[in-house]
Amino acid sequence: MAAQILNTSLGQASLTHAARPAHQPKALGFRAAFAGQAAGPARSSSFHGSAAFASLPRAANKSARRSALTTQAKVGDTLEEYLVSATDDAGLRQVLMSMSEAVRTIAFKVRTASCGAANCVNTFGDEQLAVDLLADKLLFEALKYSGKVKYACSEEVPEPVDLQGEGFSVAFDPLDGSSIVDTNFTVGTIFGVWPGDKLTGITGRDQAAAGMGIYGPRTVYVIALKDAPGCHEFLLQDDGKWLHVKETTEIGEGKMFSPGNLRATFDNPNYERLISHYIGEKYTLRYTGGMVPDVFQIIVKEKGVFTNVISPSTKAKLRILFEVAPLSLLVEKAGGFSSCDGLCVSGLDVEIKKHDQRTQICYGSQAEVQRFEEYMYGNSPRFAEMATDYHDK
């Protein structure tokens, strides 16, 4: 039944694309299609999330909006019910619902992709596309149909596209870990939502919301809102609905580590010492090579540490706009911490000066991030006055 729902969703949402110039990359051609569209009201589509809110009683909508910031999220709520209770910003609710529809369809397309030696592909209308480009298209369509997004920017081609809506701008990594789809590892979508029409000259702390779509044995939609407590996990049901199954508000201590870019230990002695500490202290290694599952496990298990650092011979690969800032909001709303850019500051506090700006990052509990900074940089001044010290752990 879920497959039927998802196929119907895709069929309703697909756009008719003009033929692409032969010299243009596929992702660029897709963006060009949006640039020529006239402004106007959002079209009717399964990606247009307002229909979900219309099904809620008007009185319940009004009451929930009045108490949006004080209502405790309830396990068992639908995504629509949670959003109505969490924020009185109808535009933000619309964007998050539209993203959830895209995530649902991407999950189906990833699960049914055909994988060969070069890549994994599936259908998009009359086209056969690599799954990362297919995810890219679905996300742009979802945001276009929401009518609430001025600019959207994808890691595939990091240039903003004018979607001619208003209210928000969205940056996303459409399919993080696309190179491991053929191995059947968990992969996912990462996104951040900023108010207004800027995606540079901002910080992660300016985000209105952030989220992940996680495509594994379960399909999960994880979101955090700036003005609502906690990080919230929604599980895709057989009937196509999202069910609230977990709220995370605290990341505690626990010996689980996920070390990215281990090649950096060759010529970064501080990173080598830190990894040796984890091994010597008998931490459990949990690393897949996909940033989404490796960070998500910190939230769902409420413990652990993720690291990805650089060295003289290994340069930064992680992009602040598309990955680091959105994940920082999710981790910190879940009760964790982050350390970014070699500056001993939160990943939410680094200014994003260009769309393709790259960095290094650590996520985890307060004690683990403090340990990371002390091993890597010699001190951790922002944690110095905190009552909890990792030396006591």
Side-chain angles (χ1 to χ4, degrees):
M1 181 176 180
Q4 293 173 341
I5 293 170
L6 293 168
N7 273 327
T8 300
S9 172
L10 182 67
Q12 292 174 337
S14 294
L15 291 172
T16 300
H17 297 288
R20 248 183 227 108
H23 67 278
Q24 282 190 320
K26 288 185 177 180
L28 279 172
F30 180 67
R31 286 153 179 72
F34 278 119
Q37 292 183 9
R43 287 155 47 178
S44 177
S45 167
S46 61
F47 284 147
H48 195 232
S50 60
F53 296 114
S55 66
L56 295 175
R58 183 172 299 179
N61 257 296
K62 187 174 180 180
S63 173
R65 285 196 296 270
R66 283 198 299 265
S67 58
L69 301 185
T70 59
T71 300
Q72 180 69 30
K74 297 178 181 178
V75 170
D77 281 352
T78 65
L79 176 61
E80 297 92 330
E81 290 168 338
Y82 165 72
L83 289 175
V84 167
S85 69
T87 178
D88 59 1
D89 188 329
L92 182 58
R93 296 199 304 264
Q94 180 88 33
V95 172
L96 293 174
M97 281 301 302
S98 294
M99 289 298 286
S100 79
E101 294 294 333
V103 165
R104 186 176 67 177
T105 307
I106 293 168
F108 176 71
K109 289 298 182 180
V110 169
R111 190 169 66 249
T112 58
S114 299
C115 296
N119 56 23
C120 294
V121 300
N122 211 325
T123 57
F124 185 88
D126 295 328
E127 297 180 276
Q128 283 280 336
L129 294 178
V131 287
D132 53 346
L133 292 181
L134 189 154
D136 194 58
K137 286 195 171 192
L138 286 167
L139 289 163
F140 271 109
E141 287 198 349
L143 295 173
K144 173 69 176 179
Y145 290 141
S146 77
K148 302 298 180 182
V149 176
K150 174 60 175 173
Y151 290 110
C153 191
S154 167
E155 188 185 39
E156 290 292 319
V157 178
E159 294 293 336
V161 176
D162 187 351
L163 300 186
Q164 302 173 348
E166 58 181 21
F168 298 92
S169 293
V170 179
F172 57 84
D173 183 348
L175 197 62
D176 183 78
S178 57
S179 64
I180 57 175
V181 170
D182 57 350
T183 65
N184 215 21
F185 284 5
T186 294
V187 296
T189 297
I190 306 169
F191 68 91
V193 182
W194 278 264
D197 58 1
K198 292 174 56 180
L199 286 173
T200 56
I202 56 174
T203 69
R205 207 168 291 281
D206 297 326
Q207 291 174 101
M212 289 188 287
I214 302 162
Y215 318 120
R218 302 183 303 147
T219 299
V220 176
Y221 185 54
V222 179
I223 57 174
L225 282 66
K226 177 181 180 179
D227 295 326
C231 181
H232 300 270
E233 177 183 340
F234 296 84
L235 180 65
L236 184 62
Q237 304 296 295
D238 287 343
D239 61 3
K241 293 182 180 179
W242 295 100
L243 188 68
H244 190 204
V245 294
K246 189 176 191 295
E247 176 184 8
T248 305
T249 58
E250 182 178 359
I251 305 296
E253 306 311 319
K255 293 183 175 182
M256 181 181 74
F257 76 121
S258 184
N261 196 24
L262 277 176
R263 286 172 291 188
T265 60
F266 177 75
D267 54 351
N268 185 331
N270 291 337
Y271 196 33
E272 182 181 24
R273 283 197 314 118
L274 179 62
I275 298 302
S276 295
H277 168 82
Y278 294 147
I279 296 171
E281 292 297 317
K282 298 180 172 56
Y283 278 50
T284 299
L285 173 64
R286 289 289 182 269
Y287 181 70
T288 70
M291 194 175 184
V292 166
D294 290 337
V295 174
F296 178 55
Q297 67 180 343
I298 296 173
I299 297 171
V300 74
K301 294 183 178 295
E302 301 181 5
K303 65 178 182 179
V305 60
F306 170 89
T307 58
N308 191 302
V309 305
I310 62 173
S311 73
S313 64
T314 60
K315 305 306 179 184
K317 293 184 177 181
L318 301 179
R319 294 166 173 86
I320 300 181
L321 181 63
F322 306 106
E323 299 164 309
V324 170
L327 291 177
S328 294
L329 183 61
L330 290 169
V331 170
E332 296 195 19
K333 293 296 288 189
F337 291 80
S338 62
S339 180
C340 187
D341 223 29
L343 301 174
C344 297
V345 298
S346 164
L348 297 175
D349 292 326
V350 176
E351 184 181 2
I352 302 169
K353 299 178 180 179
K354 57 182 182 179
H355 303 115
D356 198 39
Q357 184 174 333
R358 305 185 185 209
T359 191
Q360 53 188 327
I361 190 68
C362 171
Y363 298 115
S365 66
Q366 183 248 302
E368 290 297 351
V369 174
Q370 180 182 352
R371 177 182 288 110
F372 170 84
E373 291 185 350
E374 293 195 357
Y375 267 77
M376 294 300 302
Y377 313 121
N379 59 27
S380 183
R382 65 191 173 121
F383 292 122
E385 297 180 0
M386 289 190 176
T388 303
D389 190 291
Y390 80 78
H391 297 95
D392 299 327
K393 295 297 178 182

